[in-house]
Amino acid sequence: MDYKSSLIQDGNPMENLEKQLICPICLEMFTKPVVILPCQHNLCRKCANDIFQAANPFWTNRVGSVSMSGGRFRCPSCRHEVIMDRHGVYGLQRNLLVENIIDIYKQECSSRPLQKGSHPMCKEHEDEKINIYCLTCEMPTCSMCKVFGAHKACEVAPLQSVFQGQKTELSNCISMLVAGNDRVQTIITQLEDSCRVTKENSHQVKEELSQKFDVLYAILDEKKSELLQRITREQEEKLSFIEALIQQYREQLDKSTKLVETAIQSLDETGGAIFLLSAKQLIKSIVEASKGCQLGKTEQGFENMDYFTLDLDHIADALRAIDFGTDEEEEEFIEEEEDQEGEESTERKEEGHQ
């Protein structure tokens, strides 16, 4: 605390010095012992202990026993957080310089005569100092006002007793407010931590959910490819069988066409002997060719592919019903889906054999 520069700037050094020696908690001149905080601000040790106890209600330091944990509070001047060890405010260093300045100031004030203008005077009685407090009207006044003036019928009390009482009440209110601010700051810190943890947890579960859905997408793509390959294999087998039949019938048709041409040429033969030499064999070949027309055929509905149709309504319903639940519920759902897939696979195999 730079008292010298502050005193030089003011025309009344003693008045400015008094302002520098006021405790920010009790609003009175520092009461020894005076402690200095790490932020270089000063407090009466009693005031520091009051706000420390208010900010740490569960901290105790009974006579004959020492608390094993410290506490913390905020400087009422700059809001700097002061962290205490197990000794509490008694572990703070005393500011002997400020205590010596207080002693010098009090000696200087006691040696000075009281100036007339240093004490407020009554407006009604200009020569009377304000020295009592009207409890009825709640305002300071002078003795003449009580005896002869407006406060004659009022209840009064010594000014100093009311002064000390209200200062004590204001000091307590300040301590309560400071402690309340510390608690609010603690709550804000906790809420900020809660926000951070909430964001981290949300990001984590989003990643896990995306991974699970990616697995489902992969399973669906794999199953889709498998079923499409089965349909393609079935298509190729049927087409190969049909194309083979077409080739057989074309070959048979070519043979029949040639026999028809040969038979027509025989019918144009005029000589009976020549006709009879080839007619019997030709008739036999035509009869055999007619029997050969009984080649393989496709069964009715051979081209039908309806047995590859899937009923996915129950799976679609199950997908729509996906929701957040416990791990046990998810395992039961997966087991049910696997059982259904096994039954469907068995049914398709049986249909394929039929």
Side-chain angles (χ1 to χ4, degrees):
M1 183 182 296
D2 192 357
Y3 295 100
K4 184 175 181 180
S5 59
S6 301
L7 295 176
I8 294 174
Q9 295 174 0
D10 197 290
N12 191 340
M14 294 301 293
E15 182 179 350
N16 189 63
L17 178 60
E18 182 179 1
K19 293 179 181 178
Q20 299 294 327
L21 299 176
I22 297 299
C23 173
I25 298 299
C26 62
L27 302 179
E28 295 182 359
M29 186 173 294
F30 289 118
T31 302
K32 295 192 295 184
V34 180
V35 293
I36 183 169
L37 304 181
C39 57
Q40 301 304 309
H41 289 111
N42 298 287
L43 294 174
C44 308
R45 188 160 69 185
K46 178 182 181 302
C47 296
N49 189 56
D50 289 342
I51 62 173
F52 175 71
Q53 292 289 347
N56 303 271
F58 300 106
W59 188 90
T60 57
N61 190 3
R62 299 182 298 274
V63 178
S65 65
V66 178
S67 175
M68 297 305 294
S69 62
R72 60 186 65 195
F73 68 94
R74 292 187 180 275
C75 172
S77 298
C78 66
R79 307 301 301 155
H80 176 78
E81 188 175 50
V82 181
I83 300 176
M84 311 300 300
D85 59 13
R86 57 191 179 89
H87 300 290
V89 297
Y90 294 93
L92 292 172
Q93 184 178 359
R94 290 179 61 177
N95 195 334
L96 300 179
L97 174 61
V98 172
E99 293 181 4
N100 292 334
I101 293 175
I102 292 173
D103 293 337
I104 296 172
Y105 174 81
K106 289 182 177 180
Q107 291 175 3
E108 180 67 20
C109 289
S110 61
S111 62
R112 283 190 170 193
L114 182 64
Q115 299 179 2
K116 184 176 181 180
S118 63
H119 196 286
M121 309 299 287
C122 179
K123 293 182 180 180
E124 297 294 331
H125 309 91
E126 296 181 356
D127 295 332
E128 293 292 329
K129 296 179 180 179
I130 294 178
N131 55 2
I132 60 175
Y133 187 84
C134 179
L135 299 176
T136 305
C137 302
E138 295 184 348
M139 62 179 295
T141 185
C142 72
S143 301
M144 296 299 292
C145 288
K146 169 59 180 173
V147 178
F148 304 105
H151 302 281
K152 182 167 55 176
C154 298
E155 182 181 358
V156 297
L159 188 66
Q160 191 65 22
S161 63
V162 178
F163 166 75
Q164 293 295 336
Q166 290 197 0
K167 271 207 168 184
T168 301
E169 183 179 358
L170 180 59
S171 177
N172 293 335
C173 291
I174 293 174
S175 299
M176 291 172 56
L177 185 60
V178 170
N181 290 342
D182 289 340
R183 285 192 291 270
V184 170
Q185 183 61 46
T186 301
I187 293 173
I188 291 173
T189 303
Q190 292 174 349
L191 292 176
E192 289 175 347
D193 291 341
S194 180
C195 287
R196 177 183 55 78
V197 174
T198 300
K199 290 180 181 179
E200 293 175 355
N201 291 339
S202 298
H203 178 73
Q204 179 181 352
V205 296
K206 284 180 180 178
E207 289 293 328
E208 293 176 355
L209 182 64
S210 298
Q211 292 174 3
K212 290 183 179 180
F213 270 88
D214 290 340
V215 172
L216 289 178
Y217 299 150
I219 293 173
L220 289 174
D221 287 338
E222 181 181 359
K223 181 59 67 174
K224 176 183 176 182
S225 298
E226 177 187 342
L227 296 179
L228 288 175
Q229 290 176 3
R230 289 173 57 186
I231 294 174
T232 301
R233 286 197 299 269
E234 185 72 10
Q235 172 188 337
E236 291 174 351
E237 290 176 1
K238 287 190 174 185
L239 291 178
S240 177
F241 179 74
I242 293 173
E243 290 172 355
L245 286 179
I246 291 173
Q247 182 64 29
Q248 292 176 11
Y249 276 101
R250 281 178 177 170
E251 292 176 356
Q252 182 63 35
L253 181 60
D254 290 341
K255 291 180 181 179
S256 298
T257 302
K258 290 178 180 179
L259 284 174
V260 171
E261 292 176 355
T262 302
I264 291 173
Q265 291 176 358
S266 297
L267 290 176
D268 293 337
E269 185 65 45
T270 56
I274 297 174
F275 174 80
L276 291 174
L277 287 174
S278 60
K280 187 175 181 180
Q281 183 62 36
L282 186 59
I283 292 171
K284 182 178 179 182
S285 298
I286 292 174
V287 171
E288 290 178 357
S290 299
K291 292 179 180 179
C293 291
Q294 302 298 323
L295 298 175
K297 297 181 180 179
T298 59
E299 299 178 357
Q300 184 177 3
F302 178 80
E303 66 281 0
N304 191 0
M305 304 286 281
D306 291 342
Y307 51 87
F308 285 109
T309 302
L310 293 179
D311 182 11
L312 300 178
D313 291 341
H314 65 288
I315 296 179
D317 293 337
L319 291 175
R320 294 188 188 95
I322 290 178
D323 201 351
F324 298 107
T326 61
D327 294 338
E328 295 180 357
E329 293 176 352
E330 291 181 358
E331 292 176 359
E332 292 177 357
F333 174 77
I334 293 173
E335 291 177 357
E336 293 177 357
E337 289 298 314
E338 291 177 350
D339 293 340
Q340 291 178 358
E341 290 178 359
E343 294 176 358
E344 292 174 359
S345 177
T346 304
E347 292 176 357
R348 285 196 297 270
K349 290 180 180 179
E350 293 177 354
E351 291 177 356
H353 290 312
Q354 291 177 359

